[in-house]
Amino acid sequence: MSGAQPPITGKGRPRGSDGFGWRAFFQHSRTPVFVVGKGRRLRFANTAWEKLTGVTLAEALGMACSARRAGSALQATLAPTPEAMAGRADRARRPAPPAKNGPPWWDITFVPLAGESGIFGVVGFIQVVGEPVPAAAKRVPASVAELRAARAAHFSFDLLEGPALATAHFVSQARLAAQVNAPLWLVGERGSGKETAARAIHHSGPNRERAFVAVDCAGLQPYLIESALFGLGGVAASERVGTLYLKEPTALPRDLQQKLADHVAEHPQLRLACGSEHTAAHAVSTGALVPVFQTALSALELRVPPLRDRLDDLPRLAARVIPNRALDSAALVVLQAHKWPGNLRELADVLRDAAARAPDGPILREHLPLVMRVKADAPRTAPSKPLELDAILEAVEKRLIALALAKCDQNQTDAAALLGVFRARLSRRIEALGLQQKKPEGGAP
Amino acid sequence: MTRAPALVILEADGWIARQLADLATENAWLICPARTVDSALSLVRERRPCVLFVQAELAEDSTGPLRLIADLSRELPDVPIVAVSDVKLNDADRVQWAAALFDLGARLALFPPLTQPVLEDAASGLMAAAIRRTVGDALIAKASAPKPRPRRKSAEPVIDLADEELHE
């Protein structure tokens, strides 16, 4: 480890910078800073970084920062996230190397350096968080960490992506939500995938190395929820928990809602995410939720689109539910004609049933439920006739004038009086409308 | 048609099944004991309201039940999973394991002292939610089924304001 600052060379001064040395700029920072190149090789690290890692820059220069198996824990920890390599600033929480679990953690902010030809490097800023826990408490085996890693890889934004516009809009909002630690409120219909979205945001967010705890507020008795969260050995106060997801928090009694709100206020490192069919504002207005959920605990409100608004995603979703099974184009037409009131849950049920009916080969139209096929075959409602006001008014006027003339024995003066207009106007309208006036039965007009 | 709800229990000694037997009889639920992870998986995949109880051995060398929790919650996220451990742990270890089990997808992690009322409350609450989800979806699907079109009367009179008077 080197305590002395290295001499500033001309390499740290960009062309035309008139003596500005960026290396010296970073050397004075107490925040550990490092720079990796496009190929993920370490190009620079400041003194604070050397102090934190116990490795000198001279030793580490050119080190590949990636999570390859052969690499060291430090290399894996410093690896820029895929988001950063894609050109978006990102933050990751990782166990301080060489430990495989935190705390302490390193919160690393990755800032991409983009040029005209794409990314040419990434700057990383490290912040150390959390105190080390006694070794006796670290009993969770490495195999569980592997299961976690596989799970985290599954719940990525790729899981949510799709060609539908509604999906693209939602995913970009979710990406933004993953950048911050603000409380999250997910609104969406039943079965639309709110919890999956919350998990994906968690696994891409700054708390990704910590646990995601989902609580079914409607499915568990309040005392069980309170015991699991706040009881002896409850997880709520644990440094291990990164996101607490409440499924339908309106089902909780108000005192427990308030207790949760107070707890989240006291533990800013814990992210609260709620999933509901209604907005927090609606739930508060109906008295089902304490007001703090609307004011402080739904800072980000994301609307998960229903499946009927993202029918373009159907082939992709089907491939996920029944992998290695093709979907016939006629079957796809039937699926696209359905309104999907039960959303993704209903889709999964339908596709699994269809797959069970046809153990081999592609899913055909006849493997889908009859009711869906009938509905898809039903002719669409004919487009309504255009309502052309002028033509309608003209027809009505014609009929009324003809009626008045018939009643008055083709006498225009009487007909005008009956219609409440001057005779001259009636004559003009008869001419304009091309009405053929009949001769009066009694003689001259 | 929805099939009878089932409590699928993956355990070695049948203790959890015995604790939940009365509740299952009262509500006409099935108790489906499973000895292996594969049999538990196949039981849970049957389309019926279902709650899975897994006896989680919290040890380095036995990750089967934990893998089941992780895989199942990913594949069938609507099946609630209760992880039950019979290992007494200190507070710190208990928090670690509870967080890990929740993170892998368990809806609830129970540790000793385990009592029958707690197991029954967990089973009844989660089963009620599972039934609501299944029956609710069935109702929604029924509501969205095509409705018979109203029959149009053949001799329906056409209202014409002027005709009657025109032909007077």
Side-chain angles (χ1 to χ4, degrees), chain A residues 85-108:
Chain A
M85 292 309 286
R88 289 180 285 268
D90 194 18
R91 203 152 53 130
R93 171 161 289 188
R94 291 170 176 165
K100 287 187 177 173
N101 291 315
W105 311 92
W106 285 6
D107 270 359
I108 309 180

Side-chain angles (χ1 to χ4, degrees), chain A residues 273-312:
Chain A
C274 300
S276 175
E277 283 186 66
H278 305 289
T279 61
H282 177 268
V284 169
S285 70
T286 55
L289 205 60
V290 291
V292 69
F293 274 84
Q294 184 189 353
T295 52
L297 301 181
S298 57
L300 294 174
E301 190 173 283
L302 266 65
R303 197 166 283 275
V304 185
L307 183 53
R308 64 177 170 278
D309 288 351
R310 37 188 292 214
L311 292 174
D312 290 346

